[in-house]
Amino acid sequence: MNTQATPMAEGIIREGEIKLEGLEFNTKFWAKDPTLWKHDKEHIEFIPKFLGWQKVYDWTLKHLDEVQTFANDVKQNFKHCVIMGMGGSSLAPEVFRSVFGKQEGWPELIVLDTTNPDWVASARERINPAETLFIFASKSGGTVEPSSQFAYFMDEVKKSGIKEAGQNFAAITDPGTGLETLAKKHNFRKIFLNPADIGGRFSALSLFGIVPAAVMGVDVKKILTIAKEQAATFAPEAPIKDNAAVKLGAFMGACNVNHSKDKLTLLTPSDFATFGLWAEQLVAESTGKEGKGIVPVAGEPLRKNFDYREDRFFVHLSTGSEDDKRVSAVSDDLAKRGYPVMTIELPNTYYLGAMFLLWEIATAAAGAILGIDPFDQPNVQEAKTLAKNILAELSAGKIPAEINAPLLVSKDIAGDVKLSTLAQDLYSILESNDYVAVLPYLNPSKDVDEAVLALRDKIMERTKRAVLFGYGPRYLHSTGQLHKGDGNNGVFLILSADPKNDIKIPGQNYTFGQLCNAQALGDFQALESKGRRVIKIHLAQPVAEGIKQISDQF
């Protein structure tokens, strides 16, 4: 894949390349040498266990007949396929779904990575459970979101009259997990076991990404073959000038370390917008730790002549589409005004697999420059544990007062924050290098989505800051690590609400609505425990109107 860079970006890239050459990146990376990143015993033992993704395209190609046979079986027997997963198990399928669209004659893919009951209900309304395949995708096999979804949809399949309900389910997991045991117990239609040495966010070209793509009718052999061909340009013997992965990693790392530019802003045309969600998780969860972090900014509105702060650098993913002309005009404007911009050209959509691999290698390279371990996620578990504690209270019939409190403010915010003066209060706590994160645990219906995005855009206009945006609980498996592991450079606005219609989770003493709100409160508590500045607002129905009232202040 071809790359271009503005003169300022070229200089920064060369700085990063020199650093990577000094670290012997190409040699140590392909040799799986953990000392490229860390030298302590714990990391030296851990890191090699999570580098199986480097040439996973070869492994997946060897298993492609099995995948294609399964995909053809699904094509013959089902009209829809629902992916039940989170983070690395759901984001790559979502990119395949949006980039390729529904293929004629193949099942429609629905990616469900939420616990919001209204969101779950909207997926239920689109399908006939008897004619739907549900893929339970989880590396660990114990993730609460897809486990809850499984309990609900298994019950729905049984209610539809299917006697062998397990035949409407498939699993993708690591060997020996509880999910593998569950799938055997319920006689799932298919169990796919992925290599255990691949972390979730690096799993796009493994079975976690390729099986859903095949089920929706994408030519996955072509995807993997092109990825393998392009991998030759990323290898140790490839000239640096042709190594797009090293160039991107050098750009990301040197911008952060040498130039105090930590806001990686993705410029993507509409046909490739969801790639930003995948890259957001990869970069944030891999680099946001030890008080450091590259902050990925995806989905921001693109405007000419916007007064971006000096903490920004830009990567333009160029697809050559009609909408890419608009994005290219913004990219050219940024270049003329002296911002560092790197452009990566995607020849066609079948280079998507190569783009996944390019960003994975680049993130590993950036991690080497930052001196962090890109493969762990040390701060992710705390929010899960706190949410689990809240659920234990709910199961015992106790409803924590905080779960539905109209306003919660972390103790690290000085002064009196009020709903009536929220905009001014939020603006007053921003510091020099801060970003803002808008984090709604809401159903992205048309009116809610428009209201939340309008709020994000107003905050961006008012503050001139990078504004991260992500629906919960999805972001917990994405940018959540960065929120808690970086240098305390974020101000967080969590939005929760009681659902329009709640759904009981079979086998549990709590509902989807209670689970979703427990996760929102758990993350508030986790952020507060890390000394983060966080405000949580619990909205009344109608939710969109409540968001608009907040937005009107900005």
Side-chain angles (χ1 to χ4, degrees):
M1 285 177 283
N2 293 327
T3 64
Q4 300 174 22
T6 60
M8 183 179 183
E10 283 282 9
I12 296 172
I13 290 169
R14 187 58 195 144
E15 292 172 13
E17 288 173 344
I18 291 170
K19 176 66 173 178
L20 290 171
E21 289 165 1
L23 292 170
E24 301 179 79
F25 175 79
N26 268 358
T27 302
K28 290 185 175 181
F29 172 73
W30 293 106
K32 300 184 180 181
D33 184 343
T35 63
L36 179 59
W37 298 280
K38 290 290 185 181
H39 291 84
D40 62 281
K41 183 176 183 290
E42 183 179 353
H43 282 99
I44 284 175
E45 292 178 353
F46 172 85
I47 289 172
K49 297 176 183 177
F50 286 87
L51 286 168
W53 55 271
Q54 289 176 323
K55 296 183 179 180
V56 68
Y57 44 78
D58 283 331
W59 186 92
T60 310
L61 281 166
K62 289 177 184 177
H63 290 78
L64 211 52
D65 286 346
E66 180 185 6
V67 172
Q68 294 286 21
T69 299
F70 174 72
N72 288 326
D73 171 51
V74 175
K75 179 183 180 183
Q76 296 300 317
N77 290 284
F78 299 100
K79 292 183 179 179
H80 290 90
C81 176
V82 175
I83 306 297
M84 304 182 299
M86 295 299 296
S89 302
S90 63
L91 290 172
E94 177 64 15
V95 178
F96 280 116
R97 184 199 67 77
S98 64
V99 168
F100 286 93
K102 187 181 184 312
Q103 304 293 296
E104 184 67 31
W106 289 84
E108 180 182 359
L109 195 71
I110 298 171
V111 179
L112 193 62
D113 54 354
T114 185
T115 53
N116 182 283
D118 295 323
W119 199 338
V120 173
S122 68
R124 172 64 183 85
E125 290 169 3
R126 294 171 59 184
I127 63 171
N128 176 354
E131 298 177 330
T132 301
L133 177 79
F134 300 88
I135 296 180
F136 188 157
S138 173
K139 176 178 171 62
S140 67
T143 312
V144 66
E145 295 92 346
S147 296
S148 302
Q149 294 164 7
F150 165 73
Y152 171 69
F153 283 112
M154 173 60 83
D155 192 54
E156 292 296 295
V157 171
K158 289 177 179 177
K159 288 178 181 176
S160 72
I162 299 295
K163 293 182 180 179
E164 293 290 334
Q167 289 295 293
N168 282 52
F169 291 82
I172 308 173
T173 190
D174 283 3
T177 65
L179 175 52
E180 182 185 4
T181 302
L182 178 79
K184 290 177 178 178
K185 175 184 175 182
H186 290 279
N187 191 27
F188 276 22
R189 192 177 200 91
K190 182 69 177 176
I191 303 172
F192 287 103
L193 298 180
N194 210 55
D197 59 352
I198 300 173
R201 58 187 177 274
F202 292 86
S203 66
L205 297 182
S206 74
L207 297 176
F208 282 102
I210 294 302
V211 169
V215 165
M216 63 174 284
V218 174
D219 186 346
V220 290
K221 184 175 182 179
K222 188 173 182 179
I223 293 277
L224 291 164
T225 301
I226 291 175
K228 181 172 182 176
E229 291 169 354
Q230 287 297 301
T233 69
F234 308 148
E237 60 273 12
I240 285 291
K241 66 181 180 65
D242 298 327
N243 195 326
V246 170
K247 283 183 176 293
L248 176 59
F251 188 42
M252 290 163 59
C255 273
N256 186 293
V257 172
N258 296 352
H259 297 270
S260 299
K261 296 181 183 295
D262 64 339
K263 310 300 189 303
L264 164 60
T265 305
L266 294 166
L267 309 177
T268 54
S270 56
D271 58 317
F272 211 60
T274 54
F275 185 85
L277 291 176
W278 177 87
E280 186 178 58
Q281 184 207 17
L282 176 71
V283 174
E285 200 164 55
S286 298
T287 70
K289 58 198 71 170
E290 299 181 29
K292 304 175 184 178
I294 298 170
V295 181
V297 186
E300 266 191 353
L302 303 182
R303 301 185 182 94
K304 287 185 179 180
N305 300 316
F306 187 79
D307 186 21
Y308 290 103
R309 295 169 65 87
E310 292 299 314
D311 58 0
R312 298 273 197 151
F313 66 106
F314 299 84
V315 176
H316 172 200
L317 304 180
S318 177
T319 64
S321 66
E322 187 64 29
D323 187 56
D324 194 41
K325 295 177 182 177
R326 174 185 64 89
V327 181
S328 295
V330 174
S331 178
D332 291 343
D333 172 69
L334 290 166
K336 289 175 183 176
R337 292 193 289 134
Y339 290 100
V341 183
M342 179 178 178
T343 299
I344 305 172
E345 296 176 354
L346 194 76
N348 59 62
T349 52
Y350 286 95
Y351 278 73
L352 175 58
M355 186 67 86
F356 283 136
L357 183 61
L358 182 154
W359 277 83
E360 288 167 352
I361 296 171
T363 300
I369 294 175
L370 268 66
I372 49 92
D373 176 358
F375 311 110
D376 66 355
Q377 45 279 334
N379 302 115
V380 168
Q381 184 58 40
E382 187 171 3
K384 296 180 182 180
T385 300
L386 289 166
K388 187 176 180 179
N389 293 342
I390 297 165
L391 290 174
E393 291 187 58
L394 290 169
S395 295
K398 302 174 183 177
I399 300 178
E402 287 185 315
I403 200 166
N404 298 323
L407 180 67
L408 294 176
V409 180
S410 65
K411 59 181 178 292
D412 292 278
I413 296 179
D416 188 15
V417 175
K418 299 178 182 177
L419 285 173
S420 59
T421 57
L422 180 67
Q424 188 57 45
D425 295 338
L426 186 146
Y427 189 71
S428 69
I429 61 178
L430 286 169
E431 297 176 1
S432 60
N433 199 40
D434 285 343
Y435 59 87
V436 178
V438 179
L439 308 169
Y441 285 75
L442 309 172
N443 175 34
S445 60
K446 186 175 184 295
D447 59 341
V448 169
D449 202 45
E450 288 177 352
V452 177
L453 292 176
L455 172 61
R456 177 201 62 182
D457 296 352
K458 281 196 169 186
I459 294 174
M460 179 184 169
E461 288 282 357
R462 170 79 180 269
T463 67
K464 307 301 181 186
R465 308 299 178 114
V467 182
L468 278 60
F469 167 77
Y471 279 101
R474 171 193 284 167
Y475 78 80
L476 293 175
H477 302 259
S478 178
T479 55
Q481 167 62 43
L482 173 83
H483 297 167
K484 302 168 189 72
D486 70 5
N488 197 2
N489 299 323
V491 173
F492 305 95
L493 179 61
I494 296 176
L495 304 176
S496 61
D498 290 330
K500 289 182 178 178
N501 297 291
D502 211 344
I503 300 173
K504 178 76 168 60
I505 301 174
Q508 301 293 346
N509 292 325
Y510 50 82
T511 66
F512 273 108
Q514 289 172 322
L515 170 56
C516 188
N517 283 330
Q519 290 177 300
L521 178 57
D523 198 46
F524 172 88
Q525 293 173 345
L527 287 165
E528 184 177 45
S529 74
K530 295 295 181 185
R532 273 33 180 176
R533 291 155 290 164
V534 52
I535 299 168
K536 179 180 177 294
I537 300 172
H538 192 76
L539 298 162
Q541 296 285 351
V543 172
E545 289 303 313
I547 299 169
K548 288 175 184 176
Q549 290 175 17
I550 297 170
S551 186
D552 286 343
Q553 293 188 32
F554 287 89

